[in-house]
Amino acid sequence: MCRKMKIAAVAAALAVGLGSSQLALAQDDHSGHGAPAAATESASIAGYKAAMDKMHAATAAMDYSGDADVDFARGMIPHHQAAIDMARVVLEHGKDPEMRKLAEEVITAQEAEIRQMQEWLEAHPVQ
């Protein structure tokens, strides 16, 4: 898969929220190029998988309160953290200036929203 196609696959996977295994398949598909689809996992794929696994573990272990607002904030925090972690993978391994700029913007925005949700949760304890 050429570099531009890989970037498009990653962007598409991020946009629709595909799981880490689907993201790995999107990046590792070498069909038509003579390389097997099960190529060695790159550091960036490992980083994306780790981010998604961390998010899935946090949301699976989430203590639901029954309050839609509280549960929204509790669930979105690990979701936003995964976006930050994935953006850091781009900054570490990505080369495309547009994607690197977007990753920096994602980090800034998601960190601010995490702080906002944490502050809201502190101000609205579950009864």
Side-chain angles (χ1 to χ4, degrees):
M1 182 180 280
C2 73
R3 183 173 177 271
K4 286 185 179 182
M5 289 175 65
K6 282 184 182 181
I7 291 170
V10 170
L14 293 174
V16 299
L18 295 177
S20 59
S21 61
Q22 290 167 311
L23 177 58
L25 289 174
Q27 286 188 312
D28 274 349
D29 181 13
H30 295 284
S31 59
H33 296 288
T40 304
E41 188 172 278
S42 70
S44 62
I45 293 172
Y48 291 131
K49 283 183 175 183
M52 295 300 286
D53 290 345
K54 180 179 162 186
M55 178 190 70
H56 289 143
T59 55
M62 191 174 108
D63 183 24
Y64 288 93
S65 69
D67 180 313
D69 299 319
V70 169
D71 293 342
F72 173 75
R74 286 179 178 173
M76 289 303 291
I77 290 170
H79 176 77
H80 280 33
Q81 185 60 55
I84 292 166
D85 295 343
M86 293 174 78
R88 288 187 175 134
V89 172
V90 171
L91 294 178
E92 185 174 347
H93 301 286
K95 295 178 181 33
D96 185 274
E98 184 177 356
M99 287 294 104
R100 292 178 60 80
K101 182 178 184 294
L102 179 60
E104 290 170 350
E105 292 168 358
V106 164
I107 291 169
T108 299
Q110 301 295 293
E111 285 178 340
E113 289 181 13
I114 287 173
R115 280 190 304 277
Q116 179 184 0
M117 288 182 281
Q118 288 171 331
E119 290 169 1
W120 187 91
L121 284 168
E122 288 176 19
H124 298 86
V126 176
Q127 302 299 328

